[in-house]
């Protein structure tokens, strides 16, 4: 929208017809509905990492059951365990053999640095080199465990933006969307907006959207289309 400037960079940004002003308006609307989420239910960087791996291809309910089994164990405790023992703890989250390998690879990478709170240089690039770590997982860990400036784009984000803005985005647009969000929002806002989009997508803008209950419908292209 001409004449309106990005509050972070001072420049107007736009991707596939979604601009910083409309994104910020959407954020204001969605936070009015749900309030601040203080999202990512984790008490420590270790729990963020565990959750980021365990949540792949399963529901958060299953992840919670596995996280309860891991509670109280340090990264060193987990690394000392045999593959079989660790697998039995994370079994409720499914795909436990693969997830055990991915979790172990991540914990080995962070060995010694997790508890110290220091952030590895080139964190995102290095995470992306690890087994079982795709962009969404790397960005979730970087943002929520290490407070790094980044944004995880998940399938909920794509679906919601496509409906709300009448866009035609796919996961191939990951990097463009990530940088659009990073240029539009502060770090603390990025943590919130990811949580808010996921919350809205689980409660209302589901696979079959419940538009009649949606307080965003006045401005939604899908509803008004
Ligand atoms: S109006 Fe419908 S499609 Fe649009 S955001 Fe709400 S639930 Fe989703």
């Amino acid at each position: 929208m001409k004449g309106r400037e990005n509050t972070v960079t001072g420049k107007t940004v736009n991707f596939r017809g979604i601009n910083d002003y409309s994104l910020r308006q959407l954020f204001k609307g969605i936070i009015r509905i749900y309030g601040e989420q203080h999202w990512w239910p984790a008490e420590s960087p270790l729990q963020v990492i565990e959750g980021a791996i365990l949540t792949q291809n399963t529901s958060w309910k299953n992840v919670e059951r596995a996280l309860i089994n891991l509670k109280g164990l340090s990264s060193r405790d987990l690394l000392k365990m045999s593959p079989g023992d660790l697998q039995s703890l994370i079994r409720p989250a499914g795909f436990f053999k693969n997830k055990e390998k991915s979790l172990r690879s991540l914990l080995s990478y962070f060995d010694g640095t997790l508890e110290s709170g220091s952030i590895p240089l080139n964190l995102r690039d290095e995470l992306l080199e690890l087994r079982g770590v795709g962009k969404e997982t790397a960005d979730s860990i970087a943002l929520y465990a290490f407070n790094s400036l980044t944004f995880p784009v998940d399938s909920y984000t794509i679906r919601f933006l496509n409906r709300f803005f009448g866009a035609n985005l796919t996961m191939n647009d990951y990097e463009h969307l990530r940088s659009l969000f990073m240029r539009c929002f502060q770090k603390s806002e990025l943590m919130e907006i990811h949580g808010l989009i996921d919350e809205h997508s689980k409660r209302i803008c589901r696979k079959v959207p419940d538009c009649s209950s949606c307080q965003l419908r006045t401005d939604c292209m899908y509803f008004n289309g």
Side-chain angles (χ1 to χ4, degrees):
M1 195 169 280
K2 213 175 169 188
R4 296 190 192 266
E5 286 197 336
N6 179 302
T7 54
V8 178
T9 64
K11 291 179 185 156
T12 302
V13 288
N14 188 312
F15 178 65
R16 299 266 178 87
I18 304 173
N19 63 40
D20 48 342
Y21 177 73
S22 52
L23 263 188
R24 293 203 67 82
Q25 289 302 105
L26 173 59
F27 177 56
K28 279 185 197 160
I30 202 166
I31 205 167
R32 253 197 308 270
I33 299 169
Y34 295 104
E36 290 192 0
Q37 296 295 298
H38 302 293
W39 203 70
W40 198 283
E43 291 166 9
S44 64
L46 175 59
Q47 267 197 13
V48 174
I49 289 166
E50 292 167 350
I53 291 295
L54 297 178
T55 197
Q56 294 171 354
N57 304 309
T58 194
S59 70
W60 190 256
K61 214 172 247 175
N62 293 334
V63 175
E64 279 176 337
R65 288 167 55 215
L67 286 176
I68 288 170
N69 293 341
L70 299 178
K71 201 157 187 174
L73 296 166
S74 70
S75 58
R76 293 251 161 90
D77 293 334
L78 297 174
L79 280 171
K80 272 190 231 153
M81 277 184 185
S82 70
D85 285 347
L86 185 49
Q87 283 169 18
S88 63
L89 293 181
I90 64 173
R91 196 182 188 106
F95 303 100
F96 54 91
K97 287 188 181 165
N98 278 333
K99 288 182 181 178
E100 183 268 329
K101 289 194 181 88
S102 303
L103 184 57
R104 193 175 289 279
S105 140
L106 260 167
L107 295 178
S108 304
Y109 167 72
F110 284 115
D111 190 28
T113 61
L114 256 191
E115 278 80 12
S116 75
S118 60
I119 306 176
L121 287 173
N122 304 321
L123 174 65
R124 184 177 191 254
D125 290 343
E126 290 182 14
L127 287 176
L128 287 171
E129 297 288 314
L130 301 177
R131 184 186 199 285
V133 179
K135 289 178 182 177
E136 186 189 332
T137 303
D139 288 321
S140 297
I141 292 171
L143 179 65
Y144 290 103
F146 294 97
N147 205 20
S148 299
L149 179 64
T150 188
F151 185 76
V153 177
D154 60 8
S155 53
Y156 287 144
T157 309
I158 300 275
R159 185 176 74 193
F160 174 58
L161 294 179
N162 278 342
R163 286 174 177 166
F164 191 85
F165 291 111
N168 190 21
L169 305 163
T170 68
M171 270 298 171
N172 291 335
D173 299 310
Y174 191 104
E175 292 299 341
H176 287 292
L177 282 173
R178 174 177 168 261
S179 53
L180 177 67
F181 275 88
M182 284 163 61
R183 290 169 70 180
C184 290
F185 297 103
Q186 312 280 352
K187 226 183 315 183
S188 57
E189 293 175 315
L190 290 169
M191 288 186 177
E192 277 299 321
I193 199 159
H194 177 66
L196 286 163
I197 289 175
D198 278 23
E199 211 48 43
H200 182 61
S201 301
K202 283 177 198 158
R203 289 197 211 175
I204 305 284
C205 198
R206 302 186 294 256
K207 198 168 180 183
V208 178
D210 181 8
C211 299
S212 58
S213 309
C214 182
Q215 295 179 54
L216 299 171
R217 65 179 182 271
T218 322
D219 299 314
C220 176
M221 297 278 278
Y222 179 92
F223 181 74
N224 293 294

